[in-house]
Amino acid sequence: MDSQRIPWDQYFMAQSLLLSLRSTCTRLSVGATIVRDRRIIAGGYNGSVTDDVHCIDDGCYLVDNHCVRTIHAEMNAILQCAKFGVETDGAEIYVTHFPCLQCTKMILQAGIKKIHYMEDYRNDDYAINLIKQAGATVHKVSVSKNYFDALAKGLAHES
């Protein structure tokens, strides 16, 4: 029965939630999933540059109250696309938290026209304006706990 299946927006947000569990940031765990044609093309979480120390190991490297060590989840996902030659134009992004201004600019510049997020987090007025100017859309997604409860029941039943 299709009505029992998790809706697409919640499915992709659940992927972002799962990615956020890999975050090495001690201040906020964020995950991002880039999707085109209902297919995941990249994912990212906030963490340090490869081979650098992680905030969870050495603490945050704060400058003007921002951690400069951390690459944001959205940037990591877009960089993954760049590294492997995957087109982002016309894609959608699912982010656990509303993107910061810098990430919003990068998302729009990458040609991503739909931004889905779950949690409000310092929603920047200028970022919201840029989204409107670009003709992009923003959509807040709620993930139903029922799907995770069903998953947990299914896993418990199998053991």
Side-chain angles (χ1 to χ4, degrees):
M1 290 170 67
D2 198 42
S3 63
Q4 292 180 341
R5 295 175 69 194
I6 188 169
W8 286 111
D9 61 346
Q10 292 186 49
Y11 171 76
F12 293 125
M13 190 58 73
Q15 300 296 320
S16 295
L17 282 166
L18 189 59
L19 282 162
S20 75
L21 297 176
R22 290 285 306 155
S23 171
T24 62
C25 180
T26 58
R27 299 176 77 195
L28 186 67
S29 296
V30 179
T33 304
I34 301 176
V35 174
R36 186 184 313 103
D37 300 325
R38 293 188 178 167
R39 299 290 181 264
I40 296 171
I41 60 172
Y45 53 86
N46 54 336
S48 301
V49 173
T50 303
D51 298 327
D52 193 14
V53 297
H54 296 283
C55 298
I56 56 174
D57 299 325
D58 248 22
C60 289
Y61 179 16
L62 297 178
V63 175
D64 295 329
N65 204 31
H66 289 94
C67 182
V68 296
R69 176 177 288 138
T70 300
I71 298 173
H72 291 189
E74 304 93 323
M75 183 183 293
N76 264 329
I78 290 171
L79 288 170
Q80 187 180 73
C81 288
K83 185 175 183 176
F84 295 107
V86 178
E87 187 178 330
T88 55
D89 196 39
E92 302 178 38
I93 191 165
Y94 290 79
V95 189
T96 55
H97 295 76
F98 191 90
C100 71
L101 175 58
Q102 296 303 320
C103 285
T104 298
K105 292 190 291 186
M106 184 181 45
I107 288 165
L108 296 173
Q109 199 70 5
I112 295 171
K113 293 292 187 181
K114 291 184 181 177
I115 301 168
H116 307 270
Y117 72 100
M118 191 175 69
E119 297 289 334
D120 289 306
Y121 183 74
R122 300 180 185 170
N123 301 25
D124 186 272
D125 288 336
Y126 184 55
I128 293 166
N129 249 358
L130 288 174
I131 292 165
K132 288 176 187 171
Q133 285 177 20
T137 60
V138 64
H139 170 236
K140 189 169 185 177
V141 176
S142 296
V143 178
S144 173
K145 186 177 169 293
N146 295 340
Y147 294 110
F148 295 102
D149 290 344
L151 176 63
K153 280 183 189 175
L155 292 174
H157 185 270
E158 290 177 9
S159 33

